[in-house]
């Protein structure tokens, strides 16, 4: 599933090719995504000039002079910029022509969406989101204040959208390992100092993942590559039974709030 770093990588990858460009042709081949693509999608976007491509949580926002698209990649969605003569692939649901390049939205499982950002549905999705993990608002003090009276597991706590957006299962597991905090520890039983460290580690892990994705940016142009998942650098996620990179104890895993969670029983308390 595309996570925050993949969405950020996508936004950074396509932005230079879209900003300032006119959408000279817009085609919707399959409107039935998680929610239907609006029926006036092609008509409203035709001849619009793109002014920005940004990310909020795991949503991609493509803004033109008069309107804005909000997109979520769902389970299997991706945007690719290809030469406009490239043959269409199965599941290429939307085509937006910009000069000699074409932006294509591809989504085999069709759990993604493309909506007008000012629609009621889109507003429901983004209006009540918590702070961005890489913003200054997200810090140890914020986590500490939010954790009062919440005795849920800290891993679930940092995966809660109203606390901070975009910290998925992989990134929560990795950050907690680096901060030495056990994922099942109740959120309200963690000191301010430890939350300070955790906020730093969350930022570090996400920034590294974005950088790793960034190395494949050129692939968005030739349509060959997939965004990087920086798997070679994972310390605990998916490594149950393997030795901890710090202490050599076997990495444990257990379900926490319905999510498979990986941790070192010795290094994380
Ligand atoms: Zn360890």
């Amino acid at each position: 599933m595309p996570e925050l770093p993949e969405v950020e990588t996508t936004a950074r990858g396509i932005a230079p090719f879209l900003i300032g460009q006119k959408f000279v042709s817009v085609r919707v081949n399959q409107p039935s995504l998680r929610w239907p693509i609006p029926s006036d999608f092609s008509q409203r976007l035709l001849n619009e000039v793109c002014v920005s491509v940004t990310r909020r949580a795991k949503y991609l926002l493509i803004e033109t002079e008069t309107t804005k698209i909000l997109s979520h990649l769902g389970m299997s969605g991706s945007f690719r910029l290809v030469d406009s003569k490239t043959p269409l692939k199965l599941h290429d649901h939307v085509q937006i022509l910009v000069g000699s390049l074409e932006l294509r939205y591809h989504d085999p499982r069709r759990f993604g969406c493309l909506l007008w950002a000012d629609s009621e549905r889109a507003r429901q999705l983004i209006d009540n989101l918590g702070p961005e993990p890489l913003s200054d608002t997200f810090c140890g003090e914020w986590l500490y204040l939010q954790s009062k009276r919440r005795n849920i597991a800290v891993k679930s706590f940092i995966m809660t959208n109203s606390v901070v957006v975009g910290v998925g299962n992989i990134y929560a597991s990795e950050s907690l390992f680096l901060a030495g905090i056990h994922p099942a520890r109740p959120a309200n039983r963690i000191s301010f100092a430890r939350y300070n460290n955790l906020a730093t580690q969350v930022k570090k892990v996400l920034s590294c993942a974005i950088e790793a994705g960034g190395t494949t940016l050129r692939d968005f142009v030739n349509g060959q590559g997939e965004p990087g998942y920086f798997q070679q650098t994972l310390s605990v996620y998916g490594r149950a039974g393997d030795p901890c990179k710090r202490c050599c104890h076997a990495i444990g895993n257990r379900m926490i709030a319905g999510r498979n969670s990986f941790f070192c029983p010795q290094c994380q308390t």
Side-chain angles (χ1 to χ4, degrees):
M1 188 193 304
E3 296 281 351
L4 183 147
E6 287 78 53
V7 182
E8 179 69 27
T9 302
T10 299
R12 292 184 189 181
I14 64 177
F17 301 95
L18 294 190
I19 294 170
Q21 298 291 321
K22 190 187 270 192
F23 297 162
V24 289
S25 161
V26 181
R27 285 179 64 112
V28 176
N29 304 318
Q30 169 59 275
S32 304
L33 300 182
R34 178 163 183 192
W35 297 291
I37 294 176
S39 54
D40 59 350
F41 190 83
S42 308
Q43 179 207 329
R44 258 177 85 179
L45 284 181
L46 187 65
N47 291 325
E48 284 284 305
V49 173
C50 181
V51 297
S52 74
V53 181
T54 52
R55 176 193 59 74
R56 172 75 173 112
K58 294 184 198 172
Y59 297 96
L60 188 75
L61 294 154
I62 301 175
E63 189 177 11
T64 69
E65 284 165 317
T66 67
T67 188
K68 198 193 272 188
I69 306 162
L70 174 130
S71 177
H72 192 281
L73 304 175
M75 305 290 284
S76 57
S78 63
F79 280 98
R80 279 196 181 77
L81 269 168
V82 296
D83 186 286
S84 61
K85 294 186 194 78
T86 307
L88 264 196
K89 281 194 202 168
L90 188 66
H91 311 299
D92 278 348
H93 304 313
V94 176
Q95 302 166 252
I96 300 177
L97 185 65
V98 282
S100 62
L101 293 175
E102 195 163 73
L103 180 69
R104 292 182 183 169
Y105 179 71
H106 180 88
D107 191 352
R109 297 181 67 179
R110 289 199 269 132
F111 281 116
C113 67
L114 286 101
L115 302 167
W116 298 126
D118 60 359
S119 65
E120 202 176 321
R121 171 83 64 195
R123 303 272 304 269
Q124 279 172 1
L125 295 173
I126 57 169
D127 274 2
N128 298 310
L129 292 174
E132 285 288 328
L134 299 175
S135 72
D136 292 341
T137 312
F138 177 71
C139 59
E141 192 178 3
W142 168 263
L143 277 177
Y144 187 66
L145 290 174
Q146 294 295 310
S147 70
K148 302 268 184 206
R149 296 189 304 275
R150 300 180 89 146
N151 62 359
I152 57 169
V154 62
K155 177 160 172 274
S156 311
F157 173 65
I158 60 167
M159 290 177 68
T160 303
N161 268 337
S162 58
V163 175
V164 56
V165 297
V167 183
N169 204 17
I170 297 177
Y171 305 109
S173 296
E174 292 296 307
S175 309
L176 287 165
F177 172 76
L178 293 173
I181 299 172
H182 195 287
R185 175 172 279 274
N188 59 0
R189 298 273 312 280
I190 294 172
S191 68
F192 175 61
R194 295 187 92 191
Y195 269 130
N196 248 338
N197 188 16
L198 180 58
T200 304
Q201 301 306 337
V202 166
K203 288 173 195 284
K204 210 180 273 179
V205 165
L206 287 170
S207 305
C208 285
I210 290 169
E211 245 171 65
T215 61
T216 61
L217 279 190
R218 61 196 160 80
D219 294 327
F220 282 91
V221 184
N222 62 29
Q224 300 296 308
E226 298 292 329
Y229 284 80
F230 91 125
Q231 253 153 11
Q232 67 283 7
T233 66
L234 295 177
S235 297
V236 287
Y237 189 84
R239 297 191 62 239
D242 291 352
C244 169
K245 290 178 178 177
R246 227 174 242 171
C247 74
C248 292
H249 192 286
I251 298 297
N253 74 313
R254 71 189 236 198
M255 298 300 276
I256 297 173
R259 306 296 298 271
N260 204 356
S261 307
F262 300 87
F263 58 95
C264 173
Q266 206 145 276
C267 295
Q268 294 176 254
T269 57

